[in-house]
Amino acid sequence: MSFASGRHFLQIPGPTNVPDQVLRAMSAPTIDHRGPQFAAMVPPLLEALKPVFGTTGDVVLYPSSGTGAWEAALVNTLSPGDRVLCFETGHFATLWQAMARDLGLEVDFVPGDWRHPVDPAEVSARLTPETKAVLVVHNETSTGVTSDIAAVRRAMGDHPALLMVDTVSSLGSIDYRHDEWGVDVTVSCSQKGLMLPPGLGLTAVSAKALAASGGSRRSYWAWQPIIEANKRGAFPYTPPTNLLYGLREALHMLHSEGLPEVYARHARHAAATRAAVQGWGLELLCLDPSAYSNTLTAILVPGADHVREVILDRFDMSLGAGLGKVAGEVFRIGHLGHFNDLSLAGTLSGVQMGLQIAGVPVKDGVSAALSLLAEA
Ligand code: PLP
């Protein structure tokens, strides 16, 4: 496609569409990050972020992607040689445990089929007296499967291991409760439910995680100096000022809608998407209905990459590719962030037309989704 009129449909499961008001907020002039105006911005910004994590404790921001916040979680709490327990729920869980190995940790990696959430019974069965941390991806962006974090925590009983959770594709879209569920480190980033461009890593840290301060070497990633500087409205490095303007606006949007309403909107759009998939007669990658993701749907279809190419070419819409073990076997529809009923209607229409043009024998699924949307 050489020229495309109208707006591109960015329906990958992140980066997501950045709202115009967030883009406008980010276009304000960069200010002195050591001056009074910046210092006044930081504390209310961090306070507004805390409810999204479901915490009243410390939150830490980095100019980084989610991968940086992953590394921060590990190097702030653990020492080389420590044992961690990880679960193969998909591509991102696989990458996080690989990083743990790179950092010299001993990883117990429980195999999985990429179609189910973490099984809490496996958590209690696999914990050993040496386990120092349990690492779980809340919402596997590669598979569209959401694990039950409260159940994982319960399965840990009174074991002293830290619970670390990746909420990269769930924070700000799926109900999440860092404090209530007893999570020690929650890792996330800016480019998904928070509706910002990539570039911010975000972390909520429990008092127990802060106290753990393992023996790994760290400098840039060290939480404590950042938390100390933040109390004065400062950062120990040049902060990404314009992303912080954007974050302030995005948090204002989320709180204006109301977090419960934001979560309900995502649940509704996910249900409508699944109604379309069922109508098309296609198969979801996720096999456990209690673990269907509210932020993305991964669909098994022969020639998935060709379908995506057709849709990009004909309708100027980007869909998520299959990653890792399911590369070429699935495509993923992102339905998170700055998104409404008509964005979903357009998305599903584009997918249905693309499937038909690509020669996949599908029946009408859009009508079922539209009926569901019209009901509410
Ligand atoms: N964890 C999950 C669940 C993700 O979806 C991603 C990226 O999509 C990451 C971690 C890595 O984040 P980033 O690409 O921002 O480094």
Side-chain angles (χ1 to χ4, degrees), residues 140-167:
E140 247 302 345
T141 323
S142 59
T143 62
V145 179
T146 308
S147 289
D148 182 342
I149 301 303
V152 169
R153 176 78 252 185
R154 280 195 299 274
M156 289 171 66
D158 54 10
H159 194 289
L162 297 168
L163 176 58
M164 305 199 194
V165 180
D166 171 328
T167 62

Short mmCIF file of all heavy atoms in Angstrom, two decimals, residues 140-167:
data_model
loop_
_atom_site.label_atom_id
_atom_site.label_comp_id
_atom_site.label_asym_id
_atom_site.label_seq_id
_atom_site.Cartn_x
_atom_site.Cartn_y
_atom_site.Cartn_z
N GLU A 140 -0.08 -13.45 29.46
CA GLU A 140 0.91 -13.82 28.43
C GLU A 140 0.50 -13.18 27.10
O GLU A 140 -0.46 -13.61 26.46
CB GLU A 140 1.00 -15.33 28.28
CG GLU A 140 2.31 -15.94 28.71
CD GLU A 140 3.57 -15.43 28.01
OE1 GLU A 140 3.47 -14.77 26.96
OE2 GLU A 140 4.66 -15.71 28.52
N THR A 141 1.27 -12.19 26.70
CA THR A 141 0.94 -11.45 25.48
C THR A 141 1.09 -12.33 24.24
O THR A 141 0.50 -12.05 23.21
CB THR A 141 1.87 -10.23 25.37
OG1 THR A 141 2.09 -9.70 26.67
CG2 THR A 141 1.25 -9.15 24.50
N SER A 142 1.87 -13.38 24.34
CA SER A 142 2.09 -14.25 23.17
C SER A 142 0.96 -15.24 22.98
O SER A 142 0.83 -15.82 21.89
CB SER A 142 3.41 -15.00 23.32
OG SER A 142 3.40 -15.78 24.50
N THR A 143 0.13 -15.45 24.01
CA THR A 143 -0.87 -16.52 23.93
C THR A 143 -2.30 -16.08 24.25
O THR A 143 -3.24 -16.79 23.95
CB THR A 143 -0.52 -17.64 24.93
OG1 THR A 143 -0.57 -17.08 26.25
CG2 THR A 143 0.85 -18.22 24.67
N GLY A 144 -2.45 -14.94 24.92
CA GLY A 144 -3.78 -14.51 25.35
C GLY A 144 -4.31 -15.35 26.50
O GLY A 144 -5.49 -15.67 26.55
N VAL A 145 -3.42 -15.71 27.42
CA VAL A 145 -3.79 -16.51 28.58
C VAL A 145 -3.42 -15.72 29.85
O VAL A 145 -2.28 -15.26 29.98
CB VAL A 145 -3.07 -17.88 28.59
CG1 VAL A 145 -3.45 -18.69 29.82
CG2 VAL A 145 -3.37 -18.65 27.31
N THR A 146 -4.38 -15.59 30.77
CA THR A 146 -4.15 -14.83 32.00
C THR A 146 -4.09 -15.77 33.19
O THR A 146 -4.99 -16.61 33.37
CB THR A 146 -5.30 -13.81 32.21
OG1 THR A 146 -5.45 -13.04 31.02
CG2 THR A 146 -5.00 -12.86 33.36
N SER A 147 -3.05 -15.64 34.00
CA SER A 147 -2.92 -16.49 35.18
C SER A 147 -3.51 -15.80 36.40
O SER A 147 -3.55 -14.57 36.48
CB SER A 147 -1.45 -16.83 35.43
OG SER A 147 -0.99 -17.72 34.43
N ASP A 148 -3.98 -16.62 37.34
CA ASP A 148 -4.65 -16.12 38.55
C ASP A 148 -3.58 -15.87 39.63
O ASP A 148 -3.11 -16.81 40.28
CB ASP A 148 -5.67 -17.17 39.00
CG ASP A 148 -6.47 -16.73 40.22
OD1 ASP A 148 -6.03 -15.79 40.94
OD2 ASP A 148 -7.53 -17.34 40.47
N ILE A 149 -3.23 -14.60 39.79
CA ILE A 149 -2.11 -14.26 40.68
C ILE A 149 -2.48 -14.50 42.15
O ILE A 149 -1.65 -14.98 42.93
CB ILE A 149 -1.66 -12.80 40.45
CG1 ILE A 149 -1.22 -12.61 38.98
CG2 ILE A 149 -0.53 -12.41 41.41
CD1 ILE A 149 -0.13 -13.54 38.51
N ALA A 150 -3.71 -14.19 42.52
CA ALA A 150 -4.12 -14.42 43.92
C ALA A 150 -4.00 -15.91 44.26
O ALA A 150 -3.56 -16.28 45.35
CB ALA A 150 -5.54 -13.92 44.13
N ALA A 151 -4.38 -16.76 43.30
CA ALA A 151 -4.30 -18.21 43.53
C ALA A 151 -2.85 -18.68 43.61
O ALA A 151 -2.52 -19.57 44.40
CB ALA A 151 -5.04 -18.96 42.41
N VAL A 152 -1.98 -18.09 42.80
CA VAL A 152 -0.55 -18.43 42.87
C VAL A 152 -0.01 -18.08 44.25
O VAL A 152 0.69 -18.87 44.90
CB VAL A 152 0.25 -17.69 41.76
CG1 VAL A 152 1.75 -17.81 41.99
CG2 VAL A 152 -0.13 -18.21 40.38
N ARG A 153 -0.38 -16.88 44.71
CA ARG A 153 0.10 -16.45 46.04
C ARG A 153 -0.40 -17.41 47.13
O ARG A 153 0.35 -17.81 48.02
CB ARG A 153 -0.39 -15.03 46.30
CG ARG A 153 -0.07 -14.45 47.64
CD ARG A 153 1.37 -13.99 47.73
NE ARG A 153 2.19 -14.84 48.55
CZ ARG A 153 3.45 -14.61 48.86
NH1 ARG A 153 4.08 -13.57 48.35
NH2 ARG A 153 4.11 -15.41 49.63
N ARG A 154 -1.69 -17.77 47.04
CA ARG A 154 -2.25 -18.70 48.05
C ARG A 154 -1.49 -20.02 48.02
O ARG A 154 -1.21 -20.63 49.06
CB ARG A 154 -3.74 -18.93 47.80
CG ARG A 154 -4.65 -17.81 48.30
CD ARG A 154 -6.11 -18.26 48.35
NE ARG A 154 -6.64 -18.64 47.04
CZ ARG A 154 -7.17 -17.78 46.17
NH1 ARG A 154 -7.21 -16.49 46.44
NH2 ARG A 154 -7.63 -18.21 45.01
N ALA A 155 -1.15 -20.46 46.80
CA ALA A 155 -0.45 -21.75 46.67
C ALA A 155 0.95 -21.69 47.28
O ALA A 155 1.51 -22.73 47.63
CB ALA A 155 -0.36 -22.13 45.20
N MET A 156 1.50 -20.49 47.43
CA MET A 156 2.83 -20.36 48.03
C MET A 156 2.75 -20.49 49.55
O MET A 156 3.80 -20.67 50.21
CB MET A 156 3.47 -19.01 47.65
CG MET A 156 3.89 -18.94 46.18
SD MET A 156 4.41 -17.28 45.68
CE MET A 156 5.90 -17.04 46.64
N GLY A 157 1.53 -20.39 50.10
CA GLY A 157 1.36 -20.53 51.55
C GLY A 157 2.25 -19.56 52.31
O GLY A 157 2.34 -18.40 51.94
N ASP A 158 2.94 -20.06 53.34
CA ASP A 158 3.82 -19.15 54.09
C ASP A 158 5.29 -19.30 53.67
O ASP A 158 6.20 -18.96 54.42
CB ASP A 158 3.63 -19.31 55.60
CG ASP A 158 3.81 -20.77 56.02
OD1 ASP A 158 4.27 -21.56 55.17
OD2 ASP A 158 3.51 -21.09 57.18
N HIS A 159 5.50 -19.83 52.45
CA HIS A 159 6.88 -19.92 51.93
C HIS A 159 7.45 -18.50 51.81
O HIS A 159 6.77 -17.60 51.32
CB HIS A 159 6.86 -20.61 50.57
CG HIS A 159 8.22 -21.04 50.11
ND1 HIS A 159 9.18 -20.14 49.72
CD2 HIS A 159 8.79 -22.27 50.01
CE1 HIS A 159 10.29 -20.80 49.38
NE2 HIS A 159 10.07 -22.10 49.55
N PRO A 160 8.71 -18.32 52.23
CA PRO A 160 9.26 -16.96 52.23
C PRO A 160 9.69 -16.40 50.86
O PRO A 160 10.13 -15.25 50.77
CB PRO A 160 10.49 -17.07 53.15
CG PRO A 160 10.88 -18.52 53.07
CD PRO A 160 9.62 -19.29 52.85
N ALA A 161 9.56 -17.20 49.79
CA ALA A 161 10.01 -16.70 48.47
C ALA A 161 9.25 -15.43 48.08
O ALA A 161 8.09 -15.25 48.45
CB ALA A 161 9.77 -17.78 47.41
N LEU A 162 9.93 -14.59 47.31
CA LEU A 162 9.28 -13.38 46.77
C LEU A 162 8.40 -13.78 45.59
O LEU A 162 8.75 -14.69 44.83
CB LEU A 162 10.34 -12.39 46.28
CG LEU A 162 11.30 -11.82 47.33
CD1 LEU A 162 12.45 -11.08 46.62
CD2 LEU A 162 10.56 -10.88 48.28
N LEU A 163 7.28 -13.10 45.44
CA LEU A 163 6.45 -13.30 44.25
C LEU A 163 6.64 -12.09 43.32
O LEU A 163 6.39 -10.95 43.71
CB LEU A 163 4.97 -13.44 44.64
CG LEU A 163 3.97 -13.54 43.47
CD1 LEU A 163 4.29 -14.72 42.55
CD2 LEU A 163 2.53 -13.64 44.00
N MET A 164 7.11 -12.37 42.10
CA MET A 164 7.34 -11.31 41.11
C MET A 164 6.42 -11.54 39.92
O MET A 164 6.36 -12.66 39.40
CB MET A 164 8.78 -11.33 40.63
CG MET A 164 9.78 -11.23 41.76
SD MET A 164 11.36 -10.70 41.13
CE MET A 164 12.37 -11.08 42.54
N VAL A 165 5.72 -10.50 39.52
CA VAL A 165 4.70 -10.66 38.49
C VAL A 165 4.93 -9.65 37.36
O VAL A 165 5.13 -8.45 37.61
CB VAL A 165 3.29 -10.48 39.09
CG1 VAL A 165 2.23 -10.65 38.01
CG2 VAL A 165 3.06 -11.49 40.22
N ASP A 166 4.87 -10.14 36.14
CA ASP A 166 4.94 -9.31 34.93
C ASP A 166 3.51 -8.92 34.56
O ASP A 166 2.68 -9.79 34.25
CB ASP A 166 5.60 -10.16 33.83
CG ASP A 166 5.55 -9.51 32.46
OD1 ASP A 166 4.59 -8.79 32.15
OD2 ASP A 166 6.46 -9.77 31.66
N THR A 167 3.24 -7.61 34.60
CA THR A 167 1.90 -7.13 34.19
C THR A 167 2.01 -6.24 32.96
O THR A 167 1.24 -5.30 32.78
CB THR A 167 1.22 -6.33 35.32
OG1 THR A 167 2.03 -5.17 35.61
CG2 THR A 167 1.03 -7.15 36.58
#
